[in-house]
Amino acid sequence: SADSIAAGLRRLAADSGIAVRDKNNEQVIDEIRSRLYRTGCPWLLVFDNVEREEVLDAYLPKGGYSAGHVLVTCRRRLPGVPQDRRLSLDCFSPEESVDFLERTVGAHAREEVDDE
């Protein structure tokens, strides 16, 4: 939702040393977008489980992303995203989920699942 995105960007701003105390969400978002556009440091901005493309318009950095990337996850296709910029993924099966966890956090993941 727009509120959760705004809250996440406020946390990003505060963690990045941007003063947010006396600023409204729009001012904070504008500052984040501006800094992402200007920075030469690598960055990744993730929008998880976006429900409507219109929500993104207010939050995506404008201009090019020379130093960074934007990753958007969505349960359906967003019409404004070009086909060559999409990647469709299926859900993990239970076995694939356990295998992924095992590779990510170690072999004890399978033991804990098997115990249940």
Side-chain angles (χ1 to χ4, degrees):
S1 74
D3 290 338
S4 64
I5 294 172
L9 289 175
R10 282 190 82 81
R11 285 191 304 275
L12 173 62
D15 290 347
S16 301
I18 299 170
V20 297
R21 175 171 268 177
D22 296 325
K23 294 182 180 177
N24 62 37
N25 282 348
E26 188 174 322
Q27 292 169 315
V28 171
I29 291 162
D30 286 346
E31 182 67 22
I32 288 288
R33 289 171 63 185
S34 175
R35 287 188 186 207
L36 289 174
Y37 176 74
R38 291 190 323 253
T39 188
C41 297
W43 55 266
L44 173 65
L45 194 57
V46 178
F47 294 92
D48 188 31
N49 200 22
V50 172
E51 295 178 11
R52 292 184 343 268
E53 182 179 4
E54 303 82 46
V55 171
L56 291 175
D57 293 338
Y59 303 103
L60 290 174
K62 298 300 180 197
Y65 305 140
S66 60
H69 301 277
V70 175
L71 174 65
V72 178
T73 67
C74 183
R75 294 182 185 266
R76 61 181 185 78
R77 291 186 181 201
L78 297 174
V81 178
Q83 184 67 33
D84 65 338
R85 307 300 270 171
R86 296 180 189 172
L87 177 62
S88 295
L89 302 173
D90 291 326
C91 293
F92 281 170
S93 70
E95 295 80 19
E96 290 170 323
S97 298
V98 172
D99 289 342
F100 174 76
L101 284 173
E102 189 174 76
R103 286 192 315 270
T104 305
V105 299
H108 66 277
R110 182 173 298 281
E111 295 166 6
E112 291 175 15
V113 171
D114 289 341
D115 290 341
E116 291 181 3

